[in-house]
Each structure stands twice: as structure tokens, then as C-alpha cells.
């Protein structure tokens, strides 16, 4: 039945696409130099309309010309003329408003169907993975959803149907089911057992079903990686240390294969951010020289990969993975567009407007928080023990506010917030030497909201620190994309405010009901481990969540995240 339902949804999605095309294809109106209104393709919708199988196009019909010039009609691809567009501007506006309304309705329906399709696709993948596990059949060779059983007797030779149980269903039947709110989004009661939500459902022992792929890690000379991390411990412990962490974790992971012919992906371990830091910040060699040396480092590594291994040329590097843990992403490799544009990047910088970030191929990962007081589960147990006690501060932020570069830094947002956040129960200040790491952790844990305004770029480690301290994150960065948007509904625990709409931020925070605050904290209790890098990695942490994202690319599954939520 699931296969039939998914096939029906796919067909319905195709029908919706055709309907969308028919609605999108009517033109918007622009005034010509002669004063009469002429239909012309909407520039906003031109790309979408042209890609549709039923898209329309603008043609000029000479036989219908008049003294005012030839008349334009919109024709379907089939050549049939569509109804003439009203020439009266008022009537044309009414027609356009009606079409926009139809479009909105169709888009809402299409979005709902897309979510249903994504859910069924996940279930399909889980079932095929189980078949692969028990029947020793490679997932890529499994029958397609569109294949039908032409011979009923053939079903006796196939793997038996394996009942799929989602994380929610498994959680409901698990001992921690006394907290159904974690899985069906129902309100909590004051008598809820806090212990039942201390570990997220991802900790169940079935990650192997989702992680059905292999990674080959190139054995590059140590000058490209380990020599640096041994010499500079900072490279493995600061917020940019994910390039070191993923390399070391993969080397000891069961996902690793030493046979490149069995690999689905190839990891290229170059510690470019660490290398750049030692020349730019430690040795003060200057930007031009530091970036030039970093560019040479990557070129040398790629020369080894291309000349000594045959795997790059199979896909032009599209199945190769690089880690770029800094806000500048792959641009620390000056010639990245020429050499690795098709490759997959692991990056904390999910900036949808950045030319170097591609939401369809790259993977947003959490920044590295290496302090045990933040990422250790036992530390979170202490926070849960304080549950119910009043918090000292309404909102919290410590960091750079007034930058020497002026408006260019944070687009003037952080100085603007300083004028708004001047209440006695709000900490909005720069970092102080008197407040060490423990102090910083405690202040966040004592705050209701933790502010995350953009700086040079949208991402900030504060977001993950807020989740780890059960402080509700308030994100003020319009173009940000978060990690694991395929799995996590961020609107359930985080607050996102447009950069232009911060004037009422204090009022918004003060007016949030206590029940909603508690619901958001409980959602953070459910997913916080996905943002932490446990040592060694454990099921459900950031390493495993990132590997699941990589696995989705193997089965070509990726849902489009919502750009607007609050």
C-alpha cells in the first residue's frame, strides 16, 4: 500500500506541476512606450515557466495586427490560443489578483504533498535498507518504486516485507513513552517525567539502517593534516575544528572502507583552515601571501588525488567530500571554482546568498564546541535538575558589537540592537576577561533567550551553545540555513526574526507564554545531541547526523527547507 500511495502522490505532484505551469505562464503587465498594455513574461517566474512541460510562450500574430501594431496572444505549446488578456488595466489587475490567489492555493497544496512524498521516500529508503541488511542485496540494485510485479511468483524470491516503524512510533513503544509530547507535539503537563527526554530518539541502535554507504579516506602525506593538528592543538579544539574531527572520526568509523572500489564517497583530508590560520593570524604573513600558500596546499593535494588515484575522474570530483569549517567556506582555496566546484562541502556556513554555498549538494554542519561543560550529557543532566527554577535574565549576548569596519559588519544590526536591549534583565555586552568559559556557560543557562545576530556571515557558534544550555535561540539572520533541515523542525524550538523587524524584539520575548517557552526547551532536549560532537562519536550526535545527510545524497533524497519561519 505504501508503494501505491507514494506512486499516487508522485502522479498527483505531476498534476500539480502542470496546474502550476498553467497559472504561472500568464504574463504580468508592463506599459509599452506607446502607452498600451502588453503582456510579457514575468521575470520572477520566467525560469520556472520555461522548465515546465506545459509552459507557454509569447508570440506575435501578424494576421491580427491593427493600427496599433500586432496583437500578442499567449499560446500553449500545443498551439491552442488561450483566452485573450483583458486590455483594460483595472480588469487586467483583477485577473492577475485572481491568478495569484489560485497560485497561492496550489502552492500550499503542493507543499503539503511534497512533505508527504518526502516522508514516504524516507520510509522507502528504510525498507530498502533493511532488505539490504538481511538479504545482502546492494541498495542501488533494489527494484525501483515504479517497477511492478509482472510475475506474481517472483515475489516469493524477494525479501519479505519489513514493517517500517518511524522514530516516533518506536519512541512511543519504548520505555520513555511517558513523554508522548516529544513525538506527537502534544502539550505537556507539570507531572511529566523529565528523565524520559534526556536522550533523543536518535540514540536507538538502528543508525546502521540509514548509514548504508562507504567512505574512502585518502591517505595523504601528514603535512596536509596531522602534522598541523599535532603542532597546533587549537586547530582541533576551536569552533573551526570540524576539519580535524571528521577526519579522525571517519578513520575509526565502520563507514570507512579501505577498498576505494567499494566506496560511495571519498573524503579528502586537507586542514586548510588550520593552515591558513597559522600563516594569516599566527605568523602575520598578510592576506595575499597566506591565501596564496593555502591555494598551493590544495593544488598539491589535488595533484596527488588525481594522479595517483583513478576515482576523481569518474565524476569530476562530485562524490568527493571536503571540510571547510570557517565562514569563508571553500574560498580559502582561491581556485576552488576551477577545481572542486562539483564536490561536496561540509561547512557551518549555510548562507543561501553566498555564491560558494549550494544547498542541494553541500551539507551544513554544526560548529565545533569542544568544551565538555557544553557537550557532555552529564552536564546537561545538571541543567535538567534545575528545571522549573526562575532564570535571571530575559536575554543574553556577549560578543563583538561595534566593529571597526562599521556598518559592513553585521549590516549595522548589532549596534542597532544595543539601543534596543538596554533593560536591567538583559545582558547585551562584549566579552570580558572576567567571564571565563564556565561563567559564559552559566550566564547562558540562566537566560531565557540567547540572541544570535549575524556578524560577518549568518552562522554563529552561539546558536549551538544556546541549544546545549537549554536557552531558546533567537536567530536574526535572514539568509541562514541550519544543519539537518531534513530532520529537524527548527520552528519548534528556535525563534527567527527578520533583520528589519527587530524593533519589537523585547516586547516579543516578554510576551511569550511560559508554556511555549517550556515546550521549546523540551524540543531542545530531544535534539540537542545532534549539535554536539561526542568523543568518541555516539549514535545520534553531530557526526552520525552528518553521515545521514551524506547518505541521503546517495539515494538522491533532499527536501527543500522552508525559507521563512518564526
Amino acid at each position: 500500500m505504501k508503494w501505491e500511495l507514494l506512486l499516487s502522490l508522485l502522479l498527483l505532484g505531476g498534476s500539480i506541476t502542470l496546474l502550476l505551469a498553467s497559472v504561472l505562464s500568464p504574463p504580468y503587465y508592463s506599459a509599452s512606450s506607446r502607452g498600451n498594455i502588453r503582456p510579457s513574461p514575468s521575470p520572477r517566474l520566467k525560469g520556472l515557466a520555461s522548465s515546465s512541460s506545459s509552459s507557454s510562450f509569447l508570440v506575435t500574430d501578424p494576421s491580427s495586427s491593427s493600427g496599433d501594431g500586432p496583437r500578442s496572444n499567449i499560446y500553449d505549446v500545443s498551439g491552442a490560443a488561450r483566452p485573450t488578456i483583458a486590455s483594460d488595466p483595472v480588469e487586467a489587475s483583477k485577473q492577475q489578483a485572481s491568478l495569484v490567489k489560485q497560485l497561492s492555493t496550489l502552492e500550499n497544496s503542493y507543499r503539503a504533498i511534497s512533505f508527504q512524498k518526502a516522508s514516504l521516500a524516507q520510509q522507502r529508503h528504510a525498507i530498502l535498507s533493511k532488505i539490504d541488511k538481511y538479504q545482502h542485496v546492494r541498495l542501488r540494485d533494489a527494484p525501483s518504486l515504479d517497477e511492478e510485479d509482472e510475475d506474481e511468483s517472483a515475489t516469493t524470491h524477494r525479501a519479505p516485507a519489513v514493517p517500517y516503524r518511524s522514530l516516533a512510533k518506536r519512541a512511543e513503544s519504548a520505555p520513555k513513552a511517558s513523554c508522548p509530547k516529544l513525538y506527537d507535539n502534544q502539550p505537556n503537563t507539570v507531572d511529566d517525567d523529565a528523565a524520559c527526554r534526556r536522550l533523543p530518539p536518535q540514540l536507538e541502535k538502528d543508525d546502521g539502517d540509514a548509514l548504508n554507504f562507504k567512505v574512502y579516506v585518502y591517505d595523504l602525506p601528514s603535512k596536509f593534516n596531522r602534522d598541523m593538528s599535532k603542532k597546533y592543538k587549537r586547530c582541533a579544539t576551536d569552533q573551526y575544528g570540524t576539519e580535524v574531527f571528521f577526519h579522525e572520526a571517519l578513520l575509526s568509523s565502520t563507514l570507512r572502507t579501505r577498498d576505494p572500489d567499494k566506496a560511495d564517497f571519498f573524503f579528502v583530508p586537507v586542514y586548510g583552515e588550520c593552515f591558513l590560520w597559522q600563516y594569516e593570524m599566527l605568523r602575520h604573513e598578510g592576506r595575499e601571501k597566506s591565501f596564496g600558500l593555502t591555494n598551493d596546499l590544495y593544488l598539491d593535494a589535488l595533484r596527488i588525488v588525481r594522479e595517483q588515484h583513478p576515482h576523481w575522474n569518474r565524476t569530476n570530483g562530485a562524490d568527493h567530500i571536503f571540510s571547510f569549517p570557517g565562514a569563508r567556506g571553500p574560498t580559502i582555496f582561491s581556485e576552488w571554482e576551477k577545481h572542486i566546484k562539483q564536490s561536496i562541502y561540509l561547512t557551518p556556513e549555510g548562507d543561501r546568498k553566498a555564491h560558494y554555498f549550494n544547498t542541494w549538494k553541500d551539507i551544513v554542519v554544526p560548529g565545533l564546541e569542544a568544551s565538555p561543560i557544553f557537550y557532555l550529557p552529564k552536564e546537561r543532566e545538571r541543567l535538567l535538575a534545575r528545571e522549573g527554577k526562575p532564570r535571571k535574565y530575559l536575554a543574553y549576548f556577549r560578543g563583538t558589537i561595534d566593529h571597526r569596519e562599521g556598518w559592513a559588519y553585521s549590516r549595522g544590526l548589532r549596534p542597532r540592537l544595543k539601543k534596543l536591549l538596554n533593560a536591567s534583565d538583559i545582558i547585551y555586552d562584549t566579552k570580558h576577561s572576567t567571564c571565563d568559559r564556565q561563567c559564559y556557560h552559566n550566564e547562558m543557562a540562566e537566560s531565557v533567550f540567547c540572541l544570535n545576530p549575524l556578524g560577518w556571515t549568518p552562522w554563529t557558534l552561539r546558536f549551538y551553545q544556546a541549544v546545549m544550555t537549554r536557552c531558546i535561540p533567537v536567530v536574526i539572520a535572514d539568509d541562514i540555513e541550519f544543519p539537518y533541515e531534513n530532520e529537524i523542525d527548527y520552528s519548534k524550538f528556535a525563534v527567527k526574526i527578520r533583520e528589519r523587524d527587530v524593533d519589537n524584539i523585547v516586547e516579543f520575548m516578554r510576551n511569550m507564554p511560559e508554556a511555549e517557552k517550556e515546550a521549546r526547551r523540551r524540543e531542545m532536549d530531544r535534539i540537542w545531541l545532534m549539535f554536539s560532537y561526542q568523543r568518541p562519536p555516539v549514535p545520534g550526535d553531530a557526526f552520525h547526523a552528518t553521515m545521514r545527510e551524506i547518505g541521503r545524497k546517495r539515494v538522491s533524497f533532499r527536501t527543500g527547507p522552508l525559507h521563512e519561519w518564526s
Side-chain angles (χ1 to χ4, degrees):
M1 286 297 293
K2 290 179 177 177
W3 307 125
E4 296 174 359
L5 179 57
L6 180 54
L7 182 58
S8 299
L9 287 172
L10 289 173
L11 293 174
L12 182 56
S15 300
I16 293 287
T17 303
L18 293 177
L19 288 172
L20 279 171
S22 64
V23 173
L24 293 174
S25 56
Y28 81 108
Y29 294 84
S30 59
S32 69
S33 59
R34 296 174 65 103
N36 54 337
I37 295 177
R38 297 284 303 281
S40 55
S42 168
R44 182 176 66 87
L45 304 176
K46 181 178 180 181
L48 180 59
S50 63
S51 65
S52 171
S53 60
S54 62
S55 61
S56 304
F57 50 92
L58 181 68
V59 297
T60 301
D61 185 0
S63 63
S64 303
S65 61
S66 63
D68 294 328
R71 186 184 66 181
S72 296
N73 269 324
I74 300 298
Y75 284 83
D76 287 331
V77 173
S78 61
R82 306 177 84 183
T84 303
I85 304 299
S87 58
D88 178 53
V90 176
E91 184 62 28
S93 297
K94 290 180 179 179
Q95 290 182 0
Q96 185 183 35
S98 176
L99 290 171
V100 169
K101 185 176 180 180
Q102 293 178 43
L103 174 61
S104 177
T105 301
L106 286 171
E107 285 179 335
N108 290 335
S109 300
Y110 186 75
R111 187 179 295 113
I113 291 173
S114 296
F115 282 125
Q116 291 175 335
K117 287 166 60 178
S119 175
L120 288 173
Q122 283 183 306
Q123 295 182 29
R124 172 181 181 268
H125 174 50
I127 293 172
L128 291 177
S129 297
K130 290 179 184 293
I131 293 173
D132 182 54
K133 178 178 179 180
Y134 295 110
Q135 301 298 318
H136 306 288
V137 178
R138 288 188 66 81
L139 180 61
R140 64 169 62 96
D141 299 326
S144 169
L145 175 65
D146 297 327
E147 294 178 3
E148 298 181 356
D149 293 333
E150 297 179 357
D151 183 2
E152 289 295 331
S153 64
T155 58
T156 60
H157 302 292
R158 295 188 181 181
V162 181
Y164 172 81
R165 301 172 68 209
S166 65
L167 287 176
K169 294 298 183 183
R170 290 197 299 274
E172 289 172 2
S173 62
K176 58 180 176 292
S178 56
C179 270
K181 60 194 173 300
L182 294 180
Y183 313 107
D184 57 11
N185 202 28
Q186 295 300 315
N188 292 294
T189 65
V190 294
D191 297 324
D192 287 326
D193 179 7
C196 71
R197 60 177 181 274
R198 290 176 182 174
L199 292 178
Q202 289 86 350
L203 285 181
E204 298 173 79
K205 301 289 186 178
D206 66 350
D207 259 347
D209 287 346
L211 305 178
N212 187 30
F213 63 91
K214 291 296 181 181
V215 180
Y216 179 78
V217 181
Y218 284 106
D219 186 18
L220 296 178
S222 58
K223 71 174 185 178
F224 292 101
N225 39 66
R226 286 185 162 176
D227 285 353
M228 287 182 276
S229 60
K230 288 179 180 179
K231 185 176 182 180
Y232 305 110
K233 299 299 182 183
R234 178 185 184 276
C235 293
T237 58
D238 75 353
Q239 62 181 328
Y240 307 124
T242 50
E243 63 185 354
V244 180
F245 185 92
F246 279 111
H247 180 205
E248 294 180 346
L250 280 170
L251 288 176
S252 59
S253 172
T254 57
L255 296 175
R256 181 192 180 192
T257 177
R258 297 178 184 272
D259 183 354
D261 292 329
K262 295 181 179 179
D264 299 287
F265 298 98
F266 299 82
F267 186 80
V268 185
V270 179
Y271 298 173
E273 194 72 38
C274 180
F275 183 88
L276 178 61
W277 167 80
Q278 65 174 307
Y279 282 96
E280 184 180 32
M281 306 302 295
L282 193 63
R283 303 182 186 183
H284 302 287
E285 296 286 356
R287 176 183 172 85
E288 184 176 354
K289 181 177 179 180
S290 299
F291 271 78
L293 292 171
T294 305
N295 189 71
D296 292 341
L297 180 77
Y298 278 101
L299 290 177
D300 289 343
L302 284 175
R303 192 173 297 111
I304 296 174
V305 169
R306 286 169 170 162
E307 295 179 0
Q308 299 182 18
H309 302 272
H311 318 293
W312 178 277
N313 293 330
R314 297 188 313 181
T315 62
N316 196 28
D319 53 2
H320 282 56
I321 302 171
F322 291 81
S323 179
F324 291 105
R328 292 172 288 197
T331 62
I332 63 173
F333 175 21
S334 303
E335 297 182 60
W336 69 274
E337 286 188 280
K338 179 180 178 181
H339 295 284
I340 63 169
K341 188 175 183 179
Q342 304 301 320
S343 299
I344 299 170
Y345 310 147
L346 304 182
T347 174
E349 189 57 77
D351 185 349
R352 291 191 175 109
K353 286 188 176 180
H355 69 288
Y356 52 80
F357 174 71
N358 185 330
T359 186
W360 302 111
K361 75 173 181 66
D362 300 329
I363 296 175
V364 183
V365 301
L368 179 70
E369 176 49 72
S371 297
I373 56 174
F374 281 94
Y375 76 79
L376 284 182
K378 68 178 182 180
E379 295 294 336
R380 194 171 189 82
E381 293 293 324
R382 295 173 182 169
L383 296 178
L384 287 167
R386 295 162 51 186
E387 187 174 10
K389 297 181 180 180
R391 297 175 180 245
K392 291 183 181 180
Y393 310 109
L394 173 68
Y396 180 79
F397 172 87
R398 283 197 186 276
T400 302
I401 298 176
D402 297 301
H403 197 277
R404 62 179 179 272
E405 297 294 335
W407 186 92
Y409 181 77
S410 81
R411 297 198 279 260
L413 176 64
R414 293 190 180 185
R416 181 182 175 190
L417 287 171
K418 183 171 64 173
K419 299 178 181 179
L420 299 171
L421 303 169
N422 54 9
S424 60
D425 59 347
I426 295 176
I427 294 180
Y428 189 80
D429 202 354
T430 56
K431 293 181 179 180
H432 288 294
S433 58
T434 56
C435 188
D436 59 11
R437 203 69 171 165
Q438 184 67 58
C439 166
Y440 184 72
H441 174 275
N442 293 343
E443 287 182 340
M444 294 189 89
E446 290 286 349
S447 302
V448 179
F449 298 97
C450 286
L451 305 176
N452 297 266
L454 83 159
W456 283 118
T457 57
W459 95 276
T460 168
L461 191 65
R462 293 180 189 86
F463 178 87
Y464 310 110
Q465 294 168 334
V467 175
M468 293 177 189
T469 55
R470 305 187 79 235
C471 182
I472 301 171
V474 179
V475 180
I476 315 170
D478 293 350
D479 305 310
I480 192 169
E481 179 174 319
F482 292 105
Y484 327 132
E485 288 193 2
N486 288 313
E487 296 189 40
I488 296 177
D489 183 354
Y490 282 81
S491 65
K492 289 184 178 180
F493 67 91
V495 174
K496 188 176 183 185
I497 299 177
R498 293 183 178 90
E499 295 166 27
R500 67 173 185 268
D501 296 335
V502 296
D503 289 344
N504 64 345
I505 186 173
V506 175
E507 180 183 3
F508 174 84
M509 292 187 293
R510 292 196 188 281
N511 291 339
M512 181 177 288
E514 288 299 324
E516 181 177 346
K517 296 174 189 174
E518 182 58 23
R520 291 177 183 270
R521 283 191 284 267
R522 287 168 176 167
E523 180 66 14
M524 286 190 283
D525 293 338
R526 189 179 73 85
I527 51 84
W528 77 275
L529 201 68
M530 297 175 70
F531 299 130
S532 70
Y533 293 92
Q534 299 296 312
R535 296 162 177 79
V538 299
D541 69 356
F543 175 76
H544 285 79
T546 301
M547 294 302 106
R548 285 199 299 272
E549 286 289 298
I550 294 175
R552 285 191 179 92
K553 296 186 181 301
R554 181 173 178 262
V555 295
S556 300
F557 172 71
R558 180 84 181 216
T559 59
L562 295 176
H563 286 223
E564 298 289 346
W565 44 265
S566 60

